[in-house]
Amino acid sequence: MKTNVLKGMKDILPSEQKLRDYVQGKILETYRQSGFERISTPILEDAENLDKSDGGDNLNLIFKVLKRGEKLDSALALENPTAKDLSDMGLRYDLTLPLTRFFAANRTSLQYPFKVIQTDRVYRAERPQKGRMREFMQCDIDILGDSSPNAEVELIDVTARAMLSIGFKDFYININDRRILRAMLENMGFAKDSLDSVCITFDKLDKIGTEGIEAELKEKQMPENAIKTLISFLSSGNEITLDSVASKCADPSVADSLKYIIKTAEEVSNGLYNVKYCPSLVRGQGYYTGAVFEIGSPLFSGAIGGGGRYDNLIGKFIGQDVPAVGFSIGFERICNILLEQNYHIPGTKEKCALLYDDSVDFSKVMKNAADLRKNYTVSVIKKAKKPGPQFDMLEKQGYTKFAQYKDGNIILK
């Protein structure tokens, strides 16, 4: 049998798990203090729901689950069975689709607007690399049922306060609006029904540059004149401002809404972080309908959080659109950054090992441990016959204090 974990997944040692528990606890504390309530959903979702969720490139990264029993036998008996024939469910690739299904099923029992927390594992069958795993944790907050830009402002504020609560101060928030970008692209000559595909490519600007954008759009056989206009706009050397982009939109209220979000969120931030317009920000998921945002930091090359408005997704279940917006913290990336910085959890008690042998009554050992726990985190451990290696291992695990018995009394060093 193999001891190695599957590619793109990892075992977590106690020292890292301690940090993860702390970070998750601080995030949850901030979310709950802001009036959000936590739910949980299954890791498996119906294959049809996943396929119709407008998840962009993530739809190509779904872990599909085979049918079982007679249904699988029947599918295998087909002449050329497809993946759709063989699979009827899959692992969730994010927490947004499960949330919208949950809301559709339970909406009569929920407060409206619904302010919700989800912290759970998700799965994507992609090529593992730094900051990208096949199994990872997401920490989401969403507001369902509020169409006003105040919902975006609140999510930005709560998410930023969660970041600050764990001591993460070196970050900024980029924001854009899909409607502004789509209007600009349509004005440049891209067909309306191709805008989602163009946006997915445009979202890669920071990674592949203008040349990469041009090459990918040509590969997708987009109109040549539209590509030239877009590349000329990106390569003009002039600063791309919200006003310059908004001038290409037929509806000025969209830009006004984005300006309101940026202005209000900046005022709420009290200078602790910046909120700024980013014209190249798209977000890869196709379900976004309005404002989109990401958390950036000089400590990491990619985003360490993101989200946006997705007003049409719940309507796929109930036939009636419900305004919805969410923000997700990149939990794994933030924990990795803190580990690289040798982050020390504030207020952590020193770790003490209480070593005993068979000469001491164990009830006394446990009572002594209870007394020591007033000042230390205490682990009761039977003393090894050769204590040298035992002490070395305990020190590696972060133990700084050692309590031992001598003539029935405790000696603490």
Side-chain angles (χ1 to χ4, degrees):
M1 301 208 26
K2 301 175 182 178
T3 60
N4 293 336
V5 295
L6 294 173
K7 190 175 182 181
M9 302 182 183
K10 68 175 185 177
D11 293 326
I12 299 172
L13 294 173
S15 57
E16 181 178 348
Q17 188 63 56
K18 184 177 181 181
L19 173 68
R20 293 168 68 91
D21 290 345
Y22 171 77
V23 171
Q24 186 179 27
K26 296 300 288 186
I27 291 171
L28 277 171
E29 180 183 6
T30 304
Y31 287 172
R32 284 180 168 138
Q33 286 177 346
S34 303
F36 289 75
E37 297 181 298
R38 189 179 183 188
I39 65 165
S40 293
T41 58
I43 65 169
L44 288 169
E45 285 288 339
D46 184 272
E48 183 180 354
N49 287 351
L50 292 168
D51 289 341
K52 294 181 178 179
S53 63
D54 293 332
D57 285 345
N58 289 326
L59 298 186
N60 300 319
L61 304 175
I62 296 172
F63 280 102
K64 299 181 184 296
V65 178
L66 288 175
K67 294 178 178 178
R68 283 81 44 213
E70 293 181 359
K71 290 185 177 180
L72 178 58
D73 293 337
S74 298
L76 290 170
L78 297 173
E79 185 174 349
N80 292 302
T82 64
K84 201 167 187 177
D85 295 323
L86 297 171
S87 171
D88 59 355
M89 62 180 70
L91 298 180
R92 60 190 177 198
Y93 62 82
D94 73 2
L95 298 176
T96 304
L97 183 276
L99 170 61
T100 55
R101 179 198 52 73
F102 172 94
F103 182 84
N106 298 282
R107 62 191 183 280
T108 58
S109 304
L110 301 173
Q111 181 179 333
Y112 203 81
F114 184 42
K115 296 184 178 182
V116 57
I117 304 166
Q118 293 183 97
T119 59
D120 226 324
R121 297 187 181 195
V122 299
Y123 303 85
R124 295 179 190 172
E126 59 184 342
R127 183 172 63 85
Q129 53 187 294
K130 184 176 182 182
R132 288 186 181 274
M133 301 291 287
R134 288 177 171 172
E135 178 189 56
F136 56 96
M137 178 76 74
Q138 283 191 330
C139 293
D140 290 15
I141 46 172
D142 295 74
I143 299 177
L144 310 184
D146 187 346
S147 61
S148 80
N150 291 333
E152 279 88 338
V153 173
E154 182 174 3
L155 287 182
I156 290 170
D157 169 61
V158 176
T159 302
R161 285 192 286 109
M163 298 282 287
L164 293 168
S165 74
I166 57 177
F168 204 100
K169 299 178 181 178
D170 199 1
F171 68 92
Y172 52 87
I173 296 174
N174 286 331
I175 187 168
N176 196 4
D177 194 301
R178 274 280 186 93
R179 294 168 295 178
I180 294 174
L181 179 61
R182 290 171 67 90
M184 181 187 77
L185 293 172
E186 193 171 358
N187 183 275
M188 290 177 171
F190 291 99
K192 191 171 185 178
D193 60 2
S194 73
L195 294 181
D196 286 340
S197 179
V198 177
C199 284
I200 289 171
T201 297
F202 193 48
D203 188 43
K204 303 173 185 177
L205 179 61
D206 291 342
K207 299 175 183 176
I208 63 177
T210 54
E211 291 183 1
I213 296 295
E214 183 176 11
E216 188 165 311
L217 290 176
K218 286 181 177 178
E219 187 179 336
K220 290 182 175 182
Q221 298 182 329
M222 296 297 171
E224 187 175 338
N225 287 337
I227 296 174
K228 285 183 178 179
T229 304
L230 174 60
I231 298 304
S232 175
F233 180 70
L234 296 175
S235 306
S236 64
N238 298 322
E239 183 182 0
I240 303 174
T241 65
L242 178 52
D243 287 332
S244 68
V245 174
S247 65
K248 301 180 183 297
C249 300
D251 185 358
S253 67
V254 175
D256 290 341
S257 176
L258 186 58
K259 289 176 182 177
Y260 172 83
I261 294 171
I262 294 171
K263 178 178 179 293
T264 308
E266 278 278 11
E267 290 175 353
V268 173
S269 75
N270 289 321
L272 294 176
Y273 53 91
N274 292 321
V275 181
K276 55 185 181 180
Y277 170 63
C278 180
S280 64
L281 177 60
V282 179
R283 300 291 294 165
Q285 289 86 338
Y287 51 65
Y288 288 126
T289 58
V292 287
F293 22 79
E294 283 186 348
I295 306 172
S297 171
L299 301 174
F300 190 81
S301 59
I304 54 174
R309 183 166 283 280
Y310 52 99
D311 287 346
N312 299 337
L313 197 50
I314 296 173
K316 290 177 178 289
F317 291 100
I318 63 175
Q320 177 184 353
D321 287 341
V322 175
V325 60
F327 208 153
S328 177
I329 287 178
F331 180 82
E332 304 290 346
R333 294 179 176 181
I334 286 174
C335 287
N336 287 339
I337 290 170
L338 294 176
L339 285 169
E340 289 172 359
Q341 294 178 331
N342 295 316
Y343 180 77
H344 179 72
I345 298 174
T348 303
K349 289 183 178 180
E350 285 187 87
K351 294 175 71 174
C352 174
L354 175 54
L355 303 172
Y356 72 97
D357 56 31
D358 292 335
S359 67
V360 185
D361 184 273
F362 193 65
S363 64
K364 179 181 179 180
V365 174
M366 296 304 290
K367 289 177 182 178
N368 291 148
D371 290 335
L372 287 168
R373 289 190 180 108
K374 296 173 183 177
N375 299 307
Y376 306 102
T377 297
V378 179
S379 180
V380 174
I381 303 170
K382 190 167 185 177
K383 191 174 182 179
K385 292 181 179 179
K386 294 182 179 180
Q390 185 180 40
F391 276 96
D392 291 341
M393 179 57 71
L394 289 170
E395 287 177 349
K396 287 179 182 179
Q397 293 175 353
Y399 286 88
T400 56
K401 295 289 184 181
F402 299 91
Q404 300 183 68
Y405 288 93
K406 185 175 182 180
D407 300 328
N409 298 312
I410 285 183
I411 299 175
L412 180 64
K413 293 184 179 180

